[in-house]
Amino acid sequence: MPTNEKEYNGYLFDQLELIERLEAILESCKDIETIKKQLAIEKKFVERKLYQNPPLTNG
């Protein structure tokens, strides 16, 4: 479990990198619009957590 905001953001960046790698693979495939839409949704969920306001800590 993350102990501070910096560590938590590190986990979220890892998730974003995974999604971006999957998106790169998807670019070479055909007929997968549903998967692309779902990946975009998942990416937004992670970004929402990453850029939340107010921040997790007050420092």
Side-chain angles (χ1 to χ4, degrees):
M1 180 173 222
T3 58
N4 59 44
E5 185 174 7
K6 184 176 179 180
E7 185 176 356
Y8 185 64
N9 282 345
Y11 291 129
L12 294 174
F13 276 120
D14 289 342
Q15 291 176 2
L16 278 174
E17 288 176 354
L18 171 63
I19 292 168
E20 290 168 354
R21 286 192 302 269
L22 291 171
E23 287 174 337
I25 293 168
L26 289 173
E27 293 300 318
S28 65
C29 299
K30 304 284 186 211
D31 301 321
I32 50 172
E33 291 303 314
T34 302
I35 296 171
K36 284 185 176 183
K37 289 177 186 176
Q38 187 61 38
L39 279 172
I41 291 168
E42 296 297 332
K43 186 175 181 179
K44 287 180 185 178
F45 291 158
V46 173
E47 288 174 338
R48 183 181 309 145
K49 293 174 188 174
L50 182 62
Y51 301 115
Q52 66 183 333
N53 191 9
L56 296 174
T57 60
N58 292 335

Short mmCIF file of all heavy atoms in Angstrom, two decimals:
data_model
loop_
_atom_site.label_atom_id
_atom_site.label_comp_id
_atom_site.label_asym_id
_atom_site.label_seq_id
_atom_site.Cartn_x
_atom_site.Cartn_y
_atom_site.Cartn_z
N MET A 1 0.85 -1.18 0.00
CA MET A 1 0.00 0.00 0.00
C MET A 1 0.90 1.25 0.00
O MET A 1 1.84 1.33 0.78
CB MET A 1 -0.90 -0.02 1.23
CG MET A 1 -1.81 1.16 1.32
SD MET A 1 -2.97 0.97 2.70
CE MET A 1 -4.41 1.56 1.89
N PRO A 2 0.62 2.21 -0.87
CA PRO A 2 1.43 3.42 -0.94
C PRO A 2 1.44 4.17 0.39
O PRO A 2 0.44 4.25 1.08
CB PRO A 2 0.76 4.25 -2.02
CG PRO A 2 -0.10 3.32 -2.77
CD PRO A 2 -0.45 2.21 -1.83
N THR A 3 2.58 4.74 0.72
CA THR A 3 2.68 5.46 1.98
C THR A 3 2.58 6.96 1.81
O THR A 3 2.34 7.67 2.78
CB THR A 3 4.01 5.13 2.68
OG1 THR A 3 5.08 5.47 1.81
CG2 THR A 3 4.10 3.66 3.05
N ASN A 4 2.75 7.45 0.60
CA ASN A 4 2.64 8.89 0.39
C ASN A 4 2.20 9.16 -1.05
O ASN A 4 2.11 8.26 -1.88
CB ASN A 4 3.96 9.60 0.70
CG ASN A 4 5.10 9.08 -0.14
OD1 ASN A 4 4.96 8.89 -1.34
ND2 ASN A 4 6.26 8.87 0.47
N GLU A 5 1.93 10.43 -1.32
CA GLU A 5 1.42 10.81 -2.64
C GLU A 5 2.41 10.51 -3.76
O GLU A 5 2.03 10.05 -4.82
CB GLU A 5 1.06 12.30 -2.64
CG GLU A 5 0.41 12.75 -3.92
CD GLU A 5 -0.08 14.19 -3.85
OE1 GLU A 5 0.19 14.88 -2.87
OE2 GLU A 5 -0.73 14.61 -4.81
N LYS A 6 3.70 10.74 -3.52
CA LYS A 6 4.72 10.50 -4.54
C LYS A 6 4.74 9.02 -4.92
O LYS A 6 4.79 8.67 -6.10
CB LYS A 6 6.08 10.96 -4.04
CG LYS A 6 7.18 10.83 -5.06
CD LYS A 6 8.48 11.38 -4.53
CE LYS A 6 9.58 11.23 -5.56
NZ LYS A 6 10.85 11.77 -5.06
N GLU A 7 4.71 8.14 -3.94
CA GLU A 7 4.71 6.71 -4.20
C GLU A 7 3.44 6.29 -4.94
O GLU A 7 3.48 5.50 -5.88
CB GLU A 7 4.84 5.93 -2.89
CG GLU A 7 4.98 4.44 -3.08
CD GLU A 7 5.20 3.70 -1.76
OE1 GLU A 7 5.32 4.36 -0.72
OE2 GLU A 7 5.25 2.47 -1.80
N TYR A 8 2.31 6.83 -4.51
CA TYR A 8 1.03 6.53 -5.15
C TYR A 8 1.06 6.97 -6.61
O TYR A 8 0.64 6.23 -7.51
CB TYR A 8 -0.10 7.23 -4.40
CG TYR A 8 -1.48 6.89 -4.89
CD1 TYR A 8 -1.99 5.60 -4.80
CD2 TYR A 8 -2.29 7.87 -5.44
CE1 TYR A 8 -3.25 5.30 -5.25
CE2 TYR A 8 -3.56 7.59 -5.89
CZ TYR A 8 -4.04 6.30 -5.79
OH TYR A 8 -5.30 6.00 -6.24
N ASN A 9 1.57 8.16 -6.88
CA ASN A 9 1.68 8.65 -8.26
C ASN A 9 2.60 7.75 -9.08
O ASN A 9 2.37 7.54 -10.27
CB ASN A 9 2.17 10.09 -8.29
CG ASN A 9 1.08 11.08 -7.95
OD1 ASN A 9 -0.10 10.75 -7.95
ND2 ASN A 9 1.47 12.30 -7.64
N GLY A 10 3.64 7.19 -8.46
CA GLY A 10 4.53 6.27 -9.17
C GLY A 10 3.77 5.05 -9.67
O GLY A 10 3.97 4.59 -10.79
N TYR A 11 2.89 4.52 -8.81
CA TYR A 11 2.07 3.38 -9.23
C TYR A 11 1.15 3.75 -10.38
O TYR A 11 0.95 2.98 -11.32
CB TYR A 11 1.24 2.85 -8.05
CG TYR A 11 2.05 2.19 -6.97
CD1 TYR A 11 1.90 2.57 -5.65
CD2 TYR A 11 2.98 1.21 -7.27
CE1 TYR A 11 2.64 1.97 -4.65
CE2 TYR A 11 3.73 0.61 -6.27
CZ TYR A 11 3.56 1.00 -4.96
OH TYR A 11 4.30 0.42 -3.98
N LEU A 12 0.58 4.95 -10.31
CA LEU A 12 -0.31 5.38 -11.38
C LEU A 12 0.45 5.58 -12.69
O LEU A 12 -0.05 5.23 -13.77
CB LEU A 12 -1.03 6.67 -10.98
CG LEU A 12 -2.00 6.52 -9.81
CD1 LEU A 12 -2.55 7.89 -9.40
CD2 LEU A 12 -3.14 5.58 -10.15
N PHE A 13 1.66 6.11 -12.63
CA PHE A 13 2.47 6.26 -13.84
C PHE A 13 2.78 4.90 -14.44
O PHE A 13 2.78 4.73 -15.66
CB PHE A 13 3.77 7.03 -13.55
CG PHE A 13 3.60 8.52 -13.56
CD1 PHE A 13 3.87 9.26 -12.44
CD2 PHE A 13 3.17 9.18 -14.70
CE1 PHE A 13 3.71 10.64 -12.43
CE2 PHE A 13 3.01 10.56 -14.72
CZ PHE A 13 3.29 11.29 -13.58
N ASP A 14 3.04 3.90 -13.61
CA ASP A 14 3.26 2.55 -14.12
C ASP A 14 2.03 2.04 -14.86
O ASP A 14 2.14 1.42 -15.92
CB ASP A 14 3.59 1.59 -12.98
CG ASP A 14 4.97 1.83 -12.39
OD1 ASP A 14 5.80 2.48 -13.05
OD2 ASP A 14 5.20 1.35 -11.26
N GLN A 15 0.86 2.31 -14.32
CA GLN A 15 -0.37 1.88 -14.98
C GLN A 15 -0.55 2.60 -16.31
O GLN A 15 -0.95 2.00 -17.31
CB GLN A 15 -1.57 2.13 -14.07
CG GLN A 15 -1.60 1.23 -12.86
CD GLN A 15 -2.74 1.56 -11.92
OE1 GLN A 15 -3.55 2.44 -12.16
NE2 GLN A 15 -2.79 0.84 -10.82
N LEU A 16 -0.25 3.90 -16.34
CA LEU A 16 -0.34 4.66 -17.59
C LEU A 16 0.61 4.11 -18.65
O LEU A 16 0.26 4.00 -19.82
CB LEU A 16 -0.03 6.14 -17.35
CG LEU A 16 -1.17 6.98 -16.80
CD1 LEU A 16 -0.67 8.38 -16.48
CD2 LEU A 16 -2.31 7.05 -17.79
N GLU A 17 1.83 3.75 -18.23
CA GLU A 17 2.78 3.19 -19.18
C GLU A 17 2.28 1.88 -19.76
O GLU A 17 2.43 1.63 -20.97
CB GLU A 17 4.13 2.97 -18.50
CG GLU A 17 4.87 4.27 -18.23
CD GLU A 17 6.17 4.06 -17.48
OE1 GLU A 17 6.46 2.91 -17.07
OE2 GLU A 17 6.89 5.04 -17.30
N LEU A 18 1.67 1.05 -18.93
CA LEU A 18 1.11 -0.20 -19.42
C LEU A 18 0.03 0.06 -20.46
O LEU A 18 0.02 -0.54 -21.54
CB LEU A 18 0.53 -1.02 -18.26
CG LEU A 18 -0.29 -2.25 -18.66
CD1 LEU A 18 0.58 -3.26 -19.40
CD2 LEU A 18 -0.91 -2.87 -17.44
N ILE A 19 -0.86 0.96 -20.17
CA ILE A 19 -1.94 1.29 -21.10
C ILE A 19 -1.37 1.83 -22.41
O ILE A 19 -1.82 1.46 -23.49
CB ILE A 19 -2.92 2.29 -20.45
CG1 ILE A 19 -3.68 1.59 -19.31
CG2 ILE A 19 -3.90 2.84 -21.49
CD1 ILE A 19 -4.46 2.54 -18.43
N GLU A 20 -0.36 2.69 -22.32
CA GLU A 20 0.24 3.24 -23.53
C GLU A 20 0.92 2.17 -24.37
O GLU A 20 0.84 2.21 -25.61
CB GLU A 20 1.21 4.36 -23.15
CG GLU A 20 0.49 5.58 -22.63
CD GLU A 20 1.41 6.61 -21.98
OE1 GLU A 20 2.62 6.33 -21.83
OE2 GLU A 20 0.92 7.68 -21.63
N ARG A 21 1.56 1.20 -23.73
CA ARG A 21 2.17 0.09 -24.49
C ARG A 21 1.09 -0.73 -25.19
O ARG A 21 1.25 -1.12 -26.36
CB ARG A 21 3.01 -0.79 -23.56
CG ARG A 21 4.32 -0.17 -23.13
CD ARG A 21 5.24 -1.17 -22.48
NE ARG A 21 4.65 -1.80 -21.30
CZ ARG A 21 4.77 -1.35 -20.05
NH1 ARG A 21 5.44 -0.24 -19.82
NH2 ARG A 21 4.23 -2.01 -19.05
N LEU A 22 0.01 -1.00 -24.50
CA LEU A 22 -1.08 -1.75 -25.11
C LEU A 22 -1.70 -1.00 -26.27
O LEU A 22 -2.03 -1.58 -27.31
CB LEU A 22 -2.15 -2.09 -24.06
CG LEU A 22 -1.73 -3.09 -22.99
CD1 LEU A 22 -2.78 -3.16 -21.89
CD2 LEU A 22 -1.48 -4.45 -23.59
N GLU A 23 -1.84 0.30 -26.11
CA GLU A 23 -2.37 1.11 -27.20
C GLU A 23 -1.46 1.04 -28.43
O GLU A 23 -1.95 0.99 -29.56
CB GLU A 23 -2.53 2.57 -26.76
CG GLU A 23 -3.68 2.79 -25.81
CD GLU A 23 -3.73 4.20 -25.26
OE1 GLU A 23 -2.69 4.89 -25.24
OE2 GLU A 23 -4.81 4.61 -24.85
N ALA A 24 -0.15 1.03 -28.22
CA ALA A 24 0.78 0.94 -29.34
C ALA A 24 0.61 -0.38 -30.08
O ALA A 24 0.65 -0.42 -31.32
CB ALA A 24 2.21 1.08 -28.83
N ILE A 25 0.39 -1.47 -29.36
CA ILE A 25 0.16 -2.76 -29.99
C ILE A 25 -1.15 -2.76 -30.76
O ILE A 25 -1.25 -3.30 -31.86
CB ILE A 25 0.18 -3.89 -28.94
CG1 ILE A 25 1.57 -4.02 -28.35
CG2 ILE A 25 -0.29 -5.20 -29.53
CD1 ILE A 25 1.64 -4.90 -27.12
N LEU A 26 -2.15 -2.15 -30.18
CA LEU A 26 -3.46 -2.12 -30.81
C LEU A 26 -3.45 -1.39 -32.15
O LEU A 26 -4.26 -1.70 -33.02
CB LEU A 26 -4.48 -1.45 -29.88
CG LEU A 26 -4.86 -2.26 -28.66
CD1 LEU A 26 -5.74 -1.43 -27.73
CD2 LEU A 26 -5.58 -3.53 -29.06
N GLU A 27 -2.53 -0.44 -32.30
CA GLU A 27 -2.46 0.32 -33.55
C GLU A 27 -2.17 -0.59 -34.75
O GLU A 27 -2.54 -0.27 -35.88
CB GLU A 27 -1.41 1.42 -33.45
CG GLU A 27 -1.76 2.51 -32.48
CD GLU A 27 -3.06 3.23 -32.83
OE1 GLU A 27 -3.29 3.51 -34.02
OE2 GLU A 27 -3.84 3.49 -31.89
N SER A 28 -1.52 -1.72 -34.52
CA SER A 28 -1.18 -2.60 -35.62
C SER A 28 -2.26 -3.66 -35.89
O SER A 28 -2.12 -4.47 -36.80
CB SER A 28 0.16 -3.30 -35.34
OG SER A 28 0.03 -4.14 -34.21
N CYS A 29 -3.32 -3.64 -35.10
CA CYS A 29 -4.39 -4.64 -35.25
C CYS A 29 -5.60 -4.04 -35.95
O CYS A 29 -5.74 -2.84 -36.06
CB CYS A 29 -4.82 -5.16 -33.88
SG CYS A 29 -3.50 -5.96 -32.97
N LYS A 30 -6.50 -4.89 -36.38
CA LYS A 30 -7.73 -4.46 -37.06
C LYS A 30 -8.95 -4.91 -36.26
O LYS A 30 -8.91 -5.89 -35.53
CB LYS A 30 -7.82 -5.09 -38.46
CG LYS A 30 -6.64 -4.81 -39.35
CD LYS A 30 -6.68 -3.41 -39.88
CE LYS A 30 -5.54 -3.23 -40.88
NZ LYS A 30 -5.05 -1.91 -40.91
N ASP A 31 -10.07 -4.23 -36.45
CA ASP A 31 -11.36 -4.59 -35.88
C ASP A 31 -11.35 -4.76 -34.37
O ASP A 31 -11.86 -5.73 -33.83
CB ASP A 31 -11.88 -5.89 -36.53
CG ASP A 31 -12.05 -5.74 -38.02
OD1 ASP A 31 -12.48 -4.66 -38.47
OD2 ASP A 31 -11.72 -6.70 -38.73
N ILE A 32 -10.80 -3.79 -33.70
CA ILE A 32 -10.74 -3.88 -32.24
C ILE A 32 -11.19 -2.57 -31.59
O ILE A 32 -10.69 -2.18 -30.53
CB ILE A 32 -9.32 -4.25 -31.80
CG1 ILE A 32 -8.32 -3.34 -32.46
CG2 ILE A 32 -9.03 -5.71 -32.04
CD1 ILE A 32 -6.93 -3.50 -31.96
N GLU A 33 -12.16 -1.93 -32.18
CA GLU A 33 -12.61 -0.63 -31.68
C GLU A 33 -13.13 -0.71 -30.25
O GLU A 33 -12.93 0.21 -29.46
CB GLU A 33 -13.68 -0.05 -32.61
CG GLU A 33 -13.13 0.37 -33.95
CD GLU A 33 -12.00 1.38 -33.83
OE1 GLU A 33 -12.14 2.35 -33.05
OE2 GLU A 33 -10.98 1.19 -34.52
N THR A 34 -13.79 -1.79 -29.90
CA THR A 34 -14.31 -1.93 -28.54
C THR A 34 -13.18 -1.95 -27.53
O THR A 34 -13.27 -1.30 -26.47
CB THR A 34 -15.15 -3.21 -28.42
OG1 THR A 34 -16.21 -3.16 -29.37
CG2 THR A 34 -15.72 -3.36 -27.03
N ILE A 35 -12.10 -2.65 -27.83
CA ILE A 35 -10.96 -2.71 -26.92
C ILE A 35 -10.31 -1.33 -26.81
O ILE A 35 -9.95 -0.90 -25.72
CB ILE A 35 -9.94 -3.76 -27.39
CG1 ILE A 35 -10.58 -5.15 -27.34
CG2 ILE A 35 -8.68 -3.72 -26.54
CD1 ILE A 35 -9.74 -6.23 -27.97
N LYS A 36 -10.19 -0.62 -27.90
CA LYS A 36 -9.61 0.72 -27.87
C LYS A 36 -10.44 1.65 -27.00
O LYS A 36 -9.89 2.44 -26.22
CB LYS A 36 -9.51 1.30 -29.28
CG LYS A 36 -8.38 0.72 -30.10
CD LYS A 36 -8.30 1.45 -31.42
CE LYS A 36 -7.14 0.99 -32.25
NZ LYS A 36 -7.01 1.74 -33.51
N LYS A 37 -11.74 1.57 -27.11
CA LYS A 37 -12.61 2.42 -26.30
C LYS A 37 -12.45 2.10 -24.82
O LYS A 37 -12.39 3.01 -23.98
CB LYS A 37 -14.07 2.24 -26.72
CG LYS A 37 -14.37 2.86 -28.07
CD LYS A 37 -15.81 2.59 -28.47
CE LYS A 37 -16.07 3.09 -29.88
NZ LYS A 37 -17.43 2.77 -30.34
N GLN A 38 -12.37 0.82 -24.49
CA GLN A 38 -12.21 0.44 -23.09
C GLN A 38 -10.87 0.89 -22.55
O GLN A 38 -10.77 1.36 -21.41
CB GLN A 38 -12.38 -1.07 -22.93
CG GLN A 38 -12.38 -1.52 -21.48
CD GLN A 38 -13.52 -0.92 -20.68
OE1 GLN A 38 -14.63 -0.78 -21.18
NE2 GLN A 38 -13.25 -0.55 -19.45
N LEU A 39 -9.81 0.76 -23.34
CA LEU A 39 -8.49 1.23 -22.90
C LEU A 39 -8.50 2.74 -22.64
O LEU A 39 -7.89 3.21 -21.68
CB LEU A 39 -7.42 0.89 -23.94
CG LEU A 39 -6.90 -0.53 -23.89
CD1 LEU A 39 -5.99 -0.80 -25.08
CD2 LEU A 39 -6.15 -0.78 -22.61
N ALA A 40 -9.19 3.49 -23.48
CA ALA A 40 -9.29 4.93 -23.28
C ALA A 40 -10.00 5.25 -21.97
O ALA A 40 -9.59 6.16 -21.23
CB ALA A 40 -10.01 5.58 -24.45
N ILE A 41 -11.02 4.49 -21.65
CA ILE A 41 -11.74 4.68 -20.39
C ILE A 41 -10.83 4.37 -19.21
O ILE A 41 -10.77 5.13 -18.24
CB ILE A 41 -13.00 3.79 -20.36
CG1 ILE A 41 -14.02 4.30 -21.38
CG2 ILE A 41 -13.60 3.74 -18.96
CD1 ILE A 41 -15.17 3.34 -21.63
N GLU A 42 -10.10 3.25 -19.29
CA GLU A 42 -9.20 2.88 -18.20
C GLU A 42 -8.13 3.94 -17.99
O GLU A 42 -7.77 4.28 -16.86
CB GLU A 42 -8.54 1.52 -18.49
CG GLU A 42 -9.51 0.35 -18.56
CD GLU A 42 -10.25 0.09 -17.25
OE1 GLU A 42 -9.71 0.40 -16.18
OE2 GLU A 42 -11.36 -0.44 -17.32
N LYS A 43 -7.61 4.48 -19.08
CA LYS A 43 -6.59 5.52 -19.00
C LYS A 43 -7.14 6.76 -18.30
O LYS A 43 -6.47 7.36 -17.45
CB LYS A 43 -6.09 5.88 -20.40
CG LYS A 43 -4.93 6.84 -20.42
CD LYS A 43 -4.44 7.03 -21.84
CE LYS A 43 -3.27 7.97 -21.90
NZ LYS A 43 -2.77 8.13 -23.28
N LYS A 44 -8.36 7.12 -18.60
CA LYS A 44 -8.99 8.28 -17.95
C LYS A 44 -9.15 8.04 -16.45
O LYS A 44 -8.98 8.96 -15.65
CB LYS A 44 -10.34 8.59 -18.59
CG LYS A 44 -10.21 9.22 -19.95
CD LYS A 44 -11.57 9.50 -20.55
CE LYS A 44 -11.41 10.02 -21.96
NZ LYS A 44 -12.69 10.28 -22.62
N PHE A 45 -9.50 6.81 -16.06
CA PHE A 45 -9.64 6.50 -14.64
C PHE A 45 -8.33 6.72 -13.91
O PHE A 45 -8.30 7.30 -12.82
CB PHE A 45 -10.10 5.05 -14.43
CG PHE A 45 -11.50 4.77 -14.87
CD1 PHE A 45 -11.88 3.46 -15.15
CD2 PHE A 45 -12.46 5.76 -15.00
CE1 PHE A 45 -13.17 3.16 -15.55
CE2 PHE A 45 -13.75 5.47 -15.39
CZ PHE A 45 -14.11 4.16 -15.66
N VAL A 46 -7.22 6.27 -14.50
CA VAL A 46 -5.91 6.43 -13.87
C VAL A 46 -5.53 7.90 -13.83
O VAL A 46 -5.07 8.42 -12.80
CB VAL A 46 -4.83 5.61 -14.62
CG1 VAL A 46 -3.45 5.92 -14.06
CG2 VAL A 46 -5.13 4.13 -14.52
N GLU A 47 -5.74 8.62 -14.92
CA GLU A 47 -5.41 10.04 -14.96
C GLU A 47 -6.23 10.83 -13.95
O GLU A 47 -5.72 11.78 -13.34
CB GLU A 47 -5.60 10.60 -16.37
CG GLU A 47 -4.54 10.12 -17.34
CD GLU A 47 -4.80 10.55 -18.76
OE1 GLU A 47 -5.96 10.85 -19.11
OE2 GLU A 47 -3.84 10.54 -19.54
N ARG A 48 -7.47 10.47 -13.76
CA ARG A 48 -8.32 11.15 -12.78
C ARG A 48 -7.71 11.03 -11.39
O ARG A 48 -7.70 11.99 -10.62
CB ARG A 48 -9.73 10.55 -12.80
CG ARG A 48 -10.69 11.26 -11.86
CD ARG A 48 -12.07 10.65 -11.86
NE ARG A 48 -12.58 10.51 -13.21
CZ ARG A 48 -13.34 9.50 -13.61
NH1 ARG A 48 -13.70 8.55 -12.77
NH2 ARG A 48 -13.79 9.43 -14.84
N LYS A 49 -7.20 9.85 -11.06
CA LYS A 49 -6.56 9.66 -9.76
C LYS A 49 -5.24 10.43 -9.68
O LYS A 49 -4.91 11.02 -8.66
CB LYS A 49 -6.30 8.17 -9.52
CG LYS A 49 -7.55 7.36 -9.36
CD LYS A 49 -7.20 5.88 -9.27
CE LYS A 49 -8.43 5.02 -9.31
NZ LYS A 49 -8.08 3.59 -9.36
N LEU A 50 -4.48 10.41 -10.76
CA LEU A 50 -3.16 11.03 -10.78
C LEU A 50 -3.25 12.54 -10.61
O LEU A 50 -2.47 13.14 -9.90
CB LEU A 50 -2.45 10.68 -12.08
CG LEU A 50 -1.04 11.20 -12.27
CD1 LEU A 50 -0.13 10.62 -11.21
CD2 LEU A 50 -0.54 10.85 -13.65
N TYR A 51 -4.20 13.16 -11.26
CA TYR A 51 -4.30 14.62 -11.27
C TYR A 51 -5.43 15.11 -10.38
O TYR A 51 -6.00 16.15 -10.64
CB TYR A 51 -4.49 15.11 -12.70
CG TYR A 51 -3.36 14.69 -13.60
CD1 TYR A 51 -3.59 13.81 -14.64
CD2 TYR A 51 -2.07 15.15 -13.38
CE1 TYR A 51 -2.54 13.40 -15.47
CE2 TYR A 51 -1.03 14.74 -14.20
CZ TYR A 51 -1.27 13.87 -15.24
OH TYR A 51 -0.25 13.47 -16.04
N GLN A 52 -5.73 14.39 -9.32
CA GLN A 52 -6.84 14.77 -8.46
C GLN A 52 -6.56 16.09 -7.76
O GLN A 52 -5.43 16.48 -7.55
CB GLN A 52 -7.11 13.68 -7.44
CG GLN A 52 -6.00 13.47 -6.45
CD GLN A 52 -6.31 12.34 -5.51
OE1 GLN A 52 -7.46 12.04 -5.26
NE2 GLN A 52 -5.29 11.69 -5.02
N ASN A 53 -7.65 16.74 -7.40
CA ASN A 53 -7.57 17.99 -6.67
C ASN A 53 -8.61 17.95 -5.59
O ASN A 53 -9.78 17.73 -5.89
CB ASN A 53 -7.81 19.16 -7.62
CG ASN A 53 -7.46 20.49 -6.97
OD1 ASN A 53 -6.90 20.53 -5.90
ND2 ASN A 53 -7.80 21.56 -7.65
N PRO A 54 -8.32 18.11 -4.34
CA PRO A 54 -7.02 18.48 -3.78
C PRO A 54 -6.09 17.28 -3.75
O PRO A 54 -6.54 16.13 -3.86
CB PRO A 54 -7.37 18.91 -2.35
CG PRO A 54 -8.60 18.16 -2.02
CD PRO A 54 -9.34 18.01 -3.33
N PRO A 55 -4.78 17.51 -3.57
CA PRO A 55 -3.83 16.41 -3.51
C PRO A 55 -4.06 15.54 -2.30
O PRO A 55 -4.79 15.93 -1.38
CB PRO A 55 -2.48 17.12 -3.45
CG PRO A 55 -2.76 18.49 -2.98
CD PRO A 55 -4.17 18.81 -3.43
N LEU A 56 -3.46 14.37 -2.28
CA LEU A 56 -3.62 13.44 -1.17
C LEU A 56 -3.05 13.97 0.13
O LEU A 56 -3.52 13.62 1.21
CB LEU A 56 -2.94 12.10 -1.51
CG LEU A 56 -3.53 11.33 -2.68
CD1 LEU A 56 -2.66 10.12 -2.97
CD2 LEU A 56 -4.95 10.89 -2.37
N THR A 57 -2.03 14.80 0.05
CA THR A 57 -1.40 15.34 1.26
C THR A 57 -1.47 16.86 1.23
O THR A 57 -1.65 17.47 0.18
CB THR A 57 0.07 14.91 1.37
OG1 THR A 57 0.77 15.41 0.23
CG2 THR A 57 0.21 13.41 1.44
N ASN A 58 -1.30 17.46 2.36
CA ASN A 58 -1.34 18.92 2.45
C ASN A 58 0.05 19.53 2.42
O ASN A 58 0.20 20.72 2.63
CB ASN A 58 -2.06 19.34 3.74
CG ASN A 58 -3.52 19.00 3.72
OD1 ASN A 58 -4.12 18.89 2.66
ND2 ASN A 58 -4.12 18.81 4.89
N GLY A 59 1.08 18.74 2.18
CA GLY A 59 2.46 19.25 2.24
C GLY A 59 3.00 19.41 0.94
O GLY A 59 3.65 19.60 0.16
#
